[in-house]
Amino acid sequence: MKKTVMYIRQSLDTDKQKNSLEMQRSHCLEYAKQRDWIVDEVYNEGKCSARKTDMKERLQLTRLLNDCKKGTIGRILIFKRDRLARNVEQYLDILNQIRLCKVELHFAADNEPPLFGGVASDLIESLLAGIAEYEGNNIVRRLINSKKTAAGEGRWAAGSYPYAYIKKNEDQPGVLKIDSSKERIVKALYALAKIELCTKKVVDFKAFYETVQKKKLLKQLDEKQVWKILTQPLHKGVMSQTIDGEEYNRAAPDLLIVTVDSWEEVNDALSLMKPPSGVEKKSEEDEVIVPKLVGIAHCASCGEPFVATPKMYKCKTKGCKNSPHIERVDQDVLFTVRNRLLEKGMKEWETVRDQLQKLLVEPFEKKAHSLKHQIECLEQKIMENVKQHVKTSGVIDLNVSFVENYRENIIELDFVESRCFSIKSFVQLLTKEKELDRVKKEGLKPMEINSLLQLVKRVDYAKGIKEVSFICNERKGCLL
């Protein structure tokens, strides 16, 4: 007799999902009980991401599919489709393997539609799997956005806490305090580094680590730990984090363990050394800076728009040596925009706010409206195809591209609405902050900096800004 089995998988190891596996098990058992089925075995994948983990690494799913092929399984119970996969192609592949083995597949969640069969099956299952994939991507985006928010507020969001720091309060994740039991280790390590690396001019890190191992207090540290401790900016009171490619640097004087001068001196010495195996060393030569003013910044000598190299803006004119650093130009322009905004905002803020709304927010609102209309049309087409299939018994030539377009539009709409909300919030925030304190203190987020630079129409640059012009409003003239 073939077995009835259950497959469960937990996506994320978070407090919100600590009961996820038990919850899935409970629903599947209740579903089986209502139908007088006995669950013979549970395939428990545990904590495993369906987005990041390769199929071959999902050992329980692999075992389940192999047992299906052996003919020992007659029925599989899972909570929802997304437990199998959060990727359309992968889900359909798993589903096809189960079908070929003539194994029943049942979903225990109350709001999960049963498995579709017939001609329209692949279309409808693709649509439902696409929604699951979108939800998975959305979860990741929300996690990334929450990490960015935390980093922007000066909380630690980049994984495990740096050495010598612990959580300050259980109710405030990411708010750190110094671990006094490890603080003296950090101070002792920097003191030794100043003597060995800066005074004695030791140039080999392995030789320095041999000296570290001779100190009783520091002997517990491995080679990678020593490097990471010495290069951690938080020890000098600067919380530096990179979240999804964006860098966040916030002053954290209450978390300072060594003086800025000591940290800089030690790190100047380390910059000349090869790090331990397995530790990446940031190299200025490999650094690529993302330019924000391509097509806007021009050579003040030739009038030609700059082209961007990994670190410099360069004039296209042969023989012209005007090649300013990207960061310098972008920072100079941002400084000019900020000053003009402060100057004009104080005098006629309502006008500036209205024009910012029109220039920065309205394009996103129009795009969101257009996408919503396209999604409604695609939903109608999909429903018409499904209704046609229900009414007829013949083979229907369904346009599978409807599903792909639907999924792409949903994802794009989410992105557009998210950007629209962020920019609108930024404009409203500036409205509330009459003195524009955050703009004065250079406390702008990357998205806000990009928004302000969108106000610039053209910049002529050569050893500094020669001229800058701003986007104009059709009725009210120059914005700034």
Side-chain angles (χ1 to χ4, degrees):
M1 185 175 177
K2 293 187 177 182
K3 297 188 295 184
T4 294
V5 302
M6 180 196 310
Y7 176 80
I8 57 177
R9 176 186 65 81
Q10 182 172 330
S11 301
L12 302 167
D13 185 13
T14 65
D15 291 338
K16 291 183 180 179
Q17 290 198 337
K18 60 186 178 184
N19 297 320
S20 177
L21 292 172
E22 196 54 47
M23 179 270 293
Q24 292 174 53
R25 187 195 300 267
S26 175
H27 275 73
C28 289
L29 288 174
E30 181 61 28
Y31 185 92
K33 182 180 177 182
Q34 291 173 1
R35 290 156 180 79
D36 293 326
W37 297 339
I38 296 175
V39 176
D40 298 293
E41 188 174 356
V42 178
Y43 292 75
N44 186 349
E45 200 76 70
K47 297 166 185 175
C48 176
S49 169
R51 296 180 69 261
K52 297 180 180 178
T53 311
D54 189 83
M55 277 279 291
K56 294 178 182 178
E57 296 175 25
R58 294 173 62 184
L59 302 181
Q60 291 301 308
L61 179 61
T62 302
R63 186 167 73 88
L64 174 65
L65 294 176
N66 286 336
D67 288 347
C68 287
K69 292 172 185 176
K70 292 175 184 176
T72 60
I73 295 176
R75 187 184 294 122
I76 300 172
L77 305 182
I78 61 174
F79 182 61
K80 296 182 76 171
R81 284 171 172 80
D82 61 12
R83 297 305 85 197
L84 288 180
R86 281 198 180 274
N87 170 282
V88 176
E89 185 177 352
Q90 194 176 83
Y91 171 76
L92 292 178
D93 177 45
I94 295 170
L95 181 60
N96 187 49
Q97 291 185 56
I98 293 172
R99 280 174 168 166
L100 287 174
C101 297
K102 297 182 179 180
V103 174
E104 297 176 17
L105 182 61
H106 296 265
F107 308 114
D110 295 333
N111 60 346
E112 189 77 354
L115 190 66
F116 286 88
V119 180
S121 173
D122 284 350
L123 173 67
I124 298 172
E125 289 297 329
S126 295
L127 176 59
L128 293 172
I131 292 171
E133 181 176 345
Y134 163 71
E135 287 175 348
N137 292 335
N138 211 21
I139 289 170
V140 173
R141 281 196 295 275
R142 284 199 297 269
L143 287 171
I144 290 173
N145 288 337
S146 66
K147 286 185 176 183
K148 288 182 176 181
T149 299
E153 293 173 350
R155 292 183 283 128
W156 188 261
S160 56
Y161 300 149
Y163 188 87
Y165 298 97
I166 56 176
K167 188 185 294 186
K168 187 174 183 179
N169 190 314
E170 286 299 322
D171 298 329
Q172 294 178 300
V175 178
L176 306 182
K177 67 176 182 179
I178 296 172
D179 183 348
S180 56
S181 64
K182 294 180 178 178
E183 180 181 11
R184 63 194 190 102
I185 296 175
V186 172
K187 288 182 175 180
L189 181 60
Y190 275 94
L192 181 63
K194 283 193 69 175
I195 295 171
E196 296 294 320
L197 303 180
C198 306
T199 306
K200 294 184 179 179
K201 301 296 182 183
V202 174
V203 295
D204 181 67
F205 186 74
K206 285 190 176 295
F208 169 67
Y209 181 65
E210 290 174 2
T211 305
V212 171
Q213 287 290 285
K214 294 176 183 177
K215 304 294 180 181
K216 185 177 180 180
L217 182 62
L218 306 176
K219 195 171 183 179
Q220 60 179 291
L221 302 175
D222 62 38
E223 198 172 356
K224 289 182 184 179
Q225 273 185 306
V226 171
W227 182 277
K228 288 181 178 180
I229 291 171
L230 292 176
T231 57
Q232 174 53 250
L234 195 52
H235 293 140
K236 66 171 179 176
V238 176
M239 186 173 285
S240 179
Q241 307 175 78
T242 301
I243 310 294
D244 194 33
E246 293 184 16
E247 195 166 306
Y248 295 82
N249 295 300
R250 293 290 296 267
D254 56 323
L255 299 178
L256 180 146
I257 294 179
V258 298
T259 66
V260 174
D261 288 344
S262 294
W263 191 93
E264 298 288 355
E265 192 175 354
V266 169
N267 276 268
D268 282 346
L270 289 175
S271 67
L272 304 174
M273 299 182 185
K274 182 180 178 181
S277 177
V279 176
E280 292 184 7
K281 180 179 179 181
K282 290 185 179 179
S283 169
E284 289 188 6
E285 295 177 2
D286 297 332
E287 183 184 6
V288 177
I289 301 167
V290 179
K292 298 180 175 65
L293 297 170
V294 174
I296 296 172
H298 291 65
C299 174
S301 303
C302 309
E304 290 290 329
F306 285 129
V307 294
T309 66
K311 296 172 72 173
M312 316 291 286
Y313 284 120
K314 287 194 173 183
C315 180
K316 294 190 293 185
T317 304
K318 189 175 181 179
C320 183
K321 297 182 179 180
N322 187 9
S323 301
H325 196 280
I326 289 172
E327 283 189 322
R328 180 183 173 187
V329 177
D330 290 359
Q331 284 297 323
D332 285 352
V333 174
L334 178 63
F335 182 77
T336 301
V337 175
R338 187 168 54 235
N339 285 350
R340 290 289 289 272
L341 180 64
L342 290 167
E343 179 185 341
K344 191 162 186 176
M346 296 306 162
K347 298 175 183 176
E348 43 186 305
W349 177 246
E350 295 301 319
T351 302
V352 173
R353 182 204 61 195
D354 292 344
Q355 293 187 52
L356 284 171
Q357 172 80 17
K358 185 175 182 63
L359 179 68
L360 299 179
V361 179
E362 286 187 12
F364 282 101
E365 290 179 333
K366 289 178 180 178
K367 180 64 174 176
H369 179 75
S370 173
L371 284 168
K372 285 177 181 177
H373 177 68
Q374 292 176 40
I375 289 168
E376 288 174 1
C377 292
L378 285 166
E379 286 175 344
Q380 184 62 33
K381 289 178 180 178
I382 292 169
M383 288 303 298
E384 287 173 359
N385 274 276
V386 173
K387 286 178 181 178
Q388 185 179 2
H389 167 66
V390 171
K391 291 179 181 179
T392 62
S393 57
V395 176
I396 308 299
D397 184 15
L398 297 173
N399 191 340
V400 181
S401 65
F402 288 165
V403 177
E404 186 63 26
N405 290 338
Y406 179 84
R407 186 165 60 89
E408 290 175 357
N409 284 340
I410 285 283
I411 293 171
E412 186 177 1
L413 176 63
D414 181 70
F415 170 76
V416 169
E417 287 185 328
S418 175
R419 286 299 300 271
C420 183
F421 175 79
S422 299
I423 295 171
K424 187 183 292 187
S425 299
F426 175 51
V427 172
Q428 290 172 348
L429 183 66
L430 293 179
T431 305
K432 292 175 184 175
E433 296 181 10
K434 295 293 184 179
E435 298 300 319
L436 303 177
D437 286 334
R438 198 154 60 85
V439 179
K440 287 180 182 178
K441 296 174 183 175
E442 303 186 10
L444 297 174
K445 299 175 183 176
M447 181 277 297
E448 295 168 346
I449 290 173
N450 291 336
S451 297
L452 288 184
L453 290 178
Q454 286 181 45
L455 307 179
V456 180
K457 184 178 181 181
R458 175 178 172 130
V459 175
D460 292 305
Y461 198 97
K463 296 182 180 179
I465 295 175
K466 300 302 180 183
E467 188 175 347
V468 59
S469 59
F470 297 92
I471 297 291
C472 289
N473 183 295
E474 293 176 0
R475 290 176 295 176
K476 298 182 179 180
C478 184
L479 183 61
L480 296 178

